[in-house]
mmCIF file of all heavy atoms in Angstrom:
data_model
loop_
_atom_site.group_PDB
_atom_site.id
_atom_site.type_symbol
_atom_site.label_atom_id
_atom_site.label_comp_id
_atom_site.label_asym_id
_atom_site.label_seq_id
_atom_site.Cartn_x
_atom_site.Cartn_y
_atom_site.Cartn_z
ATOM 1 N N ARG C 62 22.353 35.611 12.198
ATOM 2 C CA ARG C 62 21.776 34.264 12.250
ATOM 3 C C ARG C 62 21.669 33.647 10.859
ATOM 4 O O ARG C 62 21.288 34.305 9.906
ATOM 5 C CB ARG C 62 20.389 34.297 12.906
ATOM 6 C CG ARG C 62 20.443 34.512 14.405
ATOM 7 C CD ARG C 62 19.048 34.677 14.976
ATOM 8 N NE ARG C 62 18.243 33.467 14.824
ATOM 9 C CZ ARG C 62 16.908 33.457 14.909
ATOM 10 N NH1 ARG C 62 16.238 34.576 15.122
ATOM 11 N NH2 ARG C 62 16.249 32.331 14.771
ATOM 12 N N ARG C 314 -1.480 19.596 13.292
ATOM 13 C CA ARG C 314 -2.512 18.731 13.883
ATOM 14 C C ARG C 314 -3.252 17.952 12.788
ATOM 15 O O ARG C 314 -3.528 16.764 12.929
ATOM 16 C CB ARG C 314 -3.486 19.594 14.679
ATOM 17 C CG ARG C 314 -4.568 18.841 15.373
ATOM 18 C CD ARG C 314 -5.451 19.790 16.166
ATOM 19 N NE ARG C 314 -4.971 20.022 17.515
ATOM 20 C CZ ARG C 314 -4.938 21.202 18.125
ATOM 21 N NH1 ARG C 314 -5.332 22.289 17.481
ATOM 22 N NH2 ARG C 314 -4.521 21.312 19.360
ATOM 23 N N ASP C 331 -11.869 18.743 16.115
ATOM 24 C CA ASP C 331 -12.773 19.719 16.702
ATOM 25 C C ASP C 331 -12.892 20.954 15.810
ATOM 26 O O ASP C 331 -13.981 21.486 15.600
ATOM 27 C CB ASP C 331 -12.179 20.123 18.053
ATOM 28 C CG ASP C 331 -13.225 20.328 19.118
ATOM 29 O OD1 ASP C 331 -14.343 19.805 18.943
ATOM 30 O OD2 ASP C 331 -12.929 20.990 20.124
ATOM 31 N N ALA C 334 -10.376 27.783 16.572
ATOM 32 C CA ALA C 334 -11.021 28.913 17.247
ATOM 33 C C ALA C 334 -10.486 30.223 16.673
ATOM 34 O O ALA C 334 -10.889 31.298 17.101
ATOM 35 C CB ALA C 334 -10.763 28.842 18.748
ATOM 36 N N THR C 336 -7.425 31.163 17.033
ATOM 37 C CA THR C 336 -6.512 31.704 18.037
ATOM 38 C C THR C 336 -5.187 32.071 17.374
ATOM 39 O O THR C 336 -4.625 31.273 16.634
ATOM 40 C CB THR C 336 -6.249 30.658 19.137
ATOM 41 O OG1 THR C 336 -7.484 30.062 19.509
ATOM 42 C CG2 THR C 336 -5.576 31.289 20.339
ATOM 43 N N ALA C 376 0.570 47.714 42.864
ATOM 44 C CA ALA C 376 1.828 48.144 43.481
ATOM 45 C C ALA C 376 3.012 47.235 43.181
ATOM 46 O O ALA C 376 4.089 47.428 43.733
ATOM 47 C CB ALA C 376 1.685 48.308 45.002
ATOM 48 N N SER C 428 -16.337 33.232 33.857
ATOM 49 C CA SER C 428 -16.017 34.176 34.939
ATOM 50 C C SER C 428 -15.803 33.458 36.272
ATOM 51 O O SER C 428 -15.249 34.025 37.203
ATOM 52 C CB SER C 428 -17.126 35.219 35.092
ATOM 53 O OG SER C 428 -18.238 34.667 35.779
ATOM 54 N N GLN C 429 -16.254 32.216 36.361
ATOM 55 C CA GLN C 429 -16.103 31.440 37.594
ATOM 56 C C GLN C 429 -14.792 30.659 37.651
ATOM 57 O O GLN C 429 -14.511 29.982 38.647
ATOM 58 C CB GLN C 429 -17.273 30.457 37.709
ATOM 59 C CG GLN C 429 -18.601 31.113 37.957
ATOM 60 C CD GLN C 429 -19.317 30.488 39.140
ATOM 61 O OE1 GLN C 429 -18.797 29.616 39.831
ATOM 62 N NE2 GLN C 429 -20.516 30.961 39.397
ATOM 63 N N CYS C 430 -14.001 30.716 36.593
ATOM 64 C CA CYS C 430 -12.813 29.847 36.549
ATOM 65 C C CYS C 430 -11.758 30.270 37.559
ATOM 66 O O CYS C 430 -11.510 31.443 37.784
ATOM 67 C CB CYS C 430 -12.230 29.804 35.143
ATOM 68 S SG CYS C 430 -13.212 28.788 34.041
ATOM 69 N N ASP C 431 -11.159 29.268 38.145
ATOM 70 C CA ASP C 431 -10.135 29.441 39.171
ATOM 71 C C ASP C 431 -8.785 29.591 38.469
ATOM 72 O O ASP C 431 -8.087 28.609 38.213
ATOM 73 C CB ASP C 431 -10.157 28.199 40.075
ATOM 74 C CG ASP C 431 -9.217 28.342 41.262
ATOM 75 O OD1 ASP C 431 -8.834 29.477 41.600
ATOM 76 O OD2 ASP C 431 -8.874 27.297 41.859
ATOM 77 N N ARG O 69 10.977 50.380 49.284
ATOM 78 C CA ARG O 69 9.520 50.476 49.096
ATOM 79 C C ARG O 69 8.813 50.575 50.437
ATOM 80 O O ARG O 69 9.141 49.869 51.383
ATOM 81 C CB ARG O 69 8.993 49.257 48.319
ATOM 82 C CG ARG O 69 9.334 49.309 46.838
ATOM 83 C CD ARG O 69 8.937 48.022 46.142
ATOM 84 N NE ARG O 69 7.481 47.831 46.159
ATOM 85 C CZ ARG O 69 6.883 46.670 45.935
ATOM 86 N NH1 ARG O 69 7.603 45.588 45.713
ATOM 87 N NH2 ARG O 69 5.573 46.580 45.949
ATOM 88 N N ARG O 321 -13.816 36.413 45.097
ATOM 89 C CA ARG O 321 -14.994 35.930 44.371
ATOM 90 C C ARG O 321 -16.105 35.561 45.343
ATOM 91 O O ARG O 321 -17.286 35.868 45.114
ATOM 92 C CB ARG O 321 -14.587 34.727 43.518
ATOM 93 C CG ARG O 321 -15.690 34.152 42.690
ATOM 94 C CD ARG O 321 -15.174 32.975 41.877
ATOM 95 N NE ARG O 321 -14.628 33.388 40.602
ATOM 96 C CZ ARG O 321 -13.512 32.915 40.054
ATOM 97 N NH1 ARG O 321 -12.787 32.026 40.699
ATOM 98 N NH2 ARG O 321 -13.130 33.325 38.872
ATOM 99 N N ASP O 338 -18.954 27.712 41.291
ATOM 100 C CA ASP O 338 -18.440 26.501 40.674
ATOM 101 C C ASP O 338 -17.462 25.787 41.612
ATOM 102 O O ASP O 338 -17.493 24.574 41.743
ATOM 103 C CB ASP O 338 -17.699 26.924 39.404
ATOM 104 C CG ASP O 338 -17.892 25.954 38.266
ATOM 105 O OD1 ASP O 338 -18.861 25.190 38.308
ATOM 106 O OD2 ASP O 338 -17.065 25.978 37.327
ATOM 107 N N ALA O 341 -10.203 24.987 41.467
ATOM 108 C CA ALA O 341 -9.426 23.946 40.803
ATOM 109 C C ALA O 341 -8.069 23.801 41.489
ATOM 110 O O ALA O 341 -7.254 22.979 41.090
ATOM 111 C CB ALA O 341 -9.239 24.294 39.326
ATOM 112 N N THR O 343 -5.832 26.118 41.476
ATOM 113 C CA THR O 343 -4.851 26.747 40.587
ATOM 114 C C THR O 343 -3.998 27.720 41.389
ATOM 115 O O THR O 343 -4.532 28.546 42.126
ATOM 116 C CB THR O 343 -5.567 27.518 39.468
ATOM 117 O OG1 THR O 343 -6.616 26.698 38.955
ATOM 118 C CG2 THR O 343 -4.607 27.896 38.361
ATOM 119 N N ALA O 383 14.797 27.224 17.449
ATOM 120 C CA ALA O 383 15.795 28.184 16.961
ATOM 121 C C ALA O 383 15.478 29.633 17.309
ATOM 122 O O ALA O 383 16.165 30.535 16.849
ATOM 123 C CB ALA O 383 15.993 28.062 15.438
ATOM 124 N N GLN O 436 -7.079 18.855 21.521
ATOM 125 C CA GLN O 436 -7.583 19.404 20.252
ATOM 126 C C GLN O 436 -7.692 20.926 20.276
ATOM 127 O O GLN O 436 -8.092 21.532 19.279
ATOM 128 C CB GLN O 436 -8.971 18.827 19.972
ATOM 129 C CG GLN O 436 -8.959 17.358 19.642
ATOM 130 C CD GLN O 436 -9.735 17.059 18.374
ATOM 131 O OE1 GLN O 436 -10.236 17.961 17.699
ATOM 132 N NE2 GLN O 436 -9.822 15.806 18.024
ATOM 133 N N CYS O 437 -7.397 21.541 21.397
ATOM 134 C CA CYS O 437 -7.646 22.982 21.499
ATOM 135 C C CYS O 437 -6.708 23.793 20.617
ATOM 136 O O CYS O 437 -5.529 23.504 20.485
ATOM 137 C CB CYS O 437 -7.544 23.438 22.950
ATOM 138 S SG CYS O 437 -8.997 22.968 23.903
ATOM 139 N N ASP O 438 -7.295 24.825 20.047
ATOM 140 C CA ASP O 438 -6.591 25.706 19.126
ATOM 141 C C ASP O 438 -5.909 26.801 19.944
ATOM 142 O O ASP O 438 -6.494 27.841 20.207
ATOM 143 C CB ASP O 438 -7.624 26.309 18.155
ATOM 144 C CG ASP O 438 -6.972 27.153 17.066
ATOM 145 O OD1 ASP O 438 -5.764 26.995 16.829
ATOM 146 O OD2 ASP O 438 -7.701 27.965 16.461
ATOM 147 N N ALA O 440 -2.673 29.510 20.927
ATOM 148 C CA ALA O 440 -1.917 30.511 20.173
ATOM 149 C C ALA O 440 -0.485 30.056 19.917
ATOM 150 O O ALA O 440 0.137 29.434 20.773
ATOM 151 C CB ALA O 440 -1.909 31.827 20.944
#
Side-chain angles (χ1 to χ4, degrees):
Chain C
R62 287 174 64 198
R314 182 178 272 137
D331 218 20
T336 315
S428 78
Q429 291 231 4
C430 285
D431 186 19
Chain O
R69 286 174 65 198
R321 182 180 272 138
D338 218 20
T343 315
Q436 291 230 3
C437 284
D438 185 19

